[in-house]
Amino acid sequence: MFNDKNFKQGLPPVVGNSPKIVILGTLPSDESIKRQKYYGNPRNQFWRIMDRLFSRKEAETDEDFVRRMGIALWDCCKSAVRVGSQDSGFIANTVEPNDLMGFLEQHPTIDTIVLNGKTKALSLFNTYFSEIKGFEIVSLTSTSGMAGGIDKKMKEWNILKELLNGASAI
C-alpha cells in the first residue's frame, strides 16, 4: 500500500513580476522534490523544450529564464499521497490542492493557464478548479519522458510563443 515516504509535498510557485501564463503540472516528481526544482528530473523534457522555444541568456538559471519569459510555474497539488513519481501513483482522496484562485488574484497579469498533461493535470484541474473562469485554458502533452518523444511535443508546446504573443521579454 503506501507509507510516509509516499506523502509528497509540492514546491512553492516560480513567479516573476508580471507573468502572462502559469504552467500547472500535477505534483513534482520525487527527483524534482529531492532537488527542490521544477522539472528537475533529467528525463523530463520541459527545460529542453523551453530552450528550443526561447533564447536563454548566458548563465541564466532555469527559474530566471521562465520569469523573464512571463511564465509562472506551479502545480495543481499542494500535497498528495503518491506511490512513486508517476501520475498513475496518486492515491484517491489524498490530494490537497494549491490555492490557485488566490494565486491568480495575486497575479492579475495572468490570462492563460497551461496544463502540463492532458490526462492527470487536466483531471485535477477539472476536479479542483472548475470554478475558475475568464482564463484561456490550454492542455498540452506532458513533458514527462514517459509521454513520448520531444519532436511531437515541440509542435504542441510551440503555442507558448503565440500565447505570449510578442511580449517584450522574448
Side-chain angles (χ1 to χ4, degrees), residues 137-150:
I137 312 294
V138 178
S139 183
L140 300 175
T141 298
S142 171
T143 59
S144 165
M146 304 287 291
I150 196 168

Side-chain angles (χ1 to χ4, degrees), residues 25-75:
T26 55
L27 186 69
S29 69
D30 291 353
E31 184 65 23
S32 295
I33 292 170
K34 179 179 160 187
R35 293 177 182 211
Q36 290 292 288
K37 176 181 172 38
Y38 279 97
Y39 308 107
N41 186 327
R43 289 177 291 196
N44 194 295
Q45 299 162 337
F46 181 83
W47 295 112
R48 282 175 278 173
I49 289 170
M50 295 302 292
D51 283 332
R52 286 187 184 184
L53 289 175
F54 306 107
S55 296
R56 186 187 294 244
K57 293 180 179 178
E58 191 174 333
E60 188 173 39
T61 68
D62 290 337
E63 292 78 11
D64 287 342
F65 178 40
V66 293
R67 284 184 189 110
R68 180 175 57 83
M69 300 316 308
I71 297 170
L73 303 177
W74 211 20
D75 285 304

Side-chain angles (χ1 to χ4, degrees), residues 12-133:
V14 171
V15 59
N17 293 330
S18 299
K20 186 168 176 48
I21 295 172
V22 60
I23 298 175
L24 295 177
T26 55
L27 186 69
S29 69
D30 291 353
E31 184 65 23
S32 295
I33 292 170
K34 179 179 160 187
R35 293 177 182 211
Q36 290 292 288
K37 176 181 172 38
Y38 279 97
Y39 308 107
N41 186 327
R43 289 177 291 196
N44 194 295
Q45 299 162 337
F46 181 83
W47 295 112
R48 282 175 278 173
I49 289 170
M50 295 302 292
D51 283 332
R52 286 187 184 184
L53 289 175
F54 306 107
S55 296
R56 186 187 294 244
K57 293 180 179 178
E58 191 174 333
E60 188 173 39
T61 68
D62 290 337
E63 292 78 11
D64 287 342
F65 178 40
V66 293
R67 284 184 189 110
R68 180 175 57 83
M69 300 316 308
I71 297 170
L73 303 177
W74 211 20
D75 285 304
C76 292
C77 302
K78 179 176 183 178
S79 65
V81 176
R82 183 185 64 205
V83 178
S85 289
Q86 295 182 12
D87 286 345
S88 61
F90 279 91
I91 303 297
N93 303 316
T94 65
V95 169
E96 179 184 359
N98 272 316
D99 179 14
L100 182 57
M101 183 64 83
F103 179 81
L104 294 170
E105 288 171 359
Q106 289 176 350
H107 303 284
T109 56
I110 293 174
D111 60 16
T112 304
I113 299 168
V114 173
L115 302 173
N116 189 346
K118 293 182 177 182
T119 307
K120 191 65 174 183
L122 180 59
S123 172
L124 289 167
F125 184 84
N126 288 336
T127 298
Y128 295 104
F129 310 117
S130 61
E131 77 284 358
I132 293 176
K133 305 290 184 220

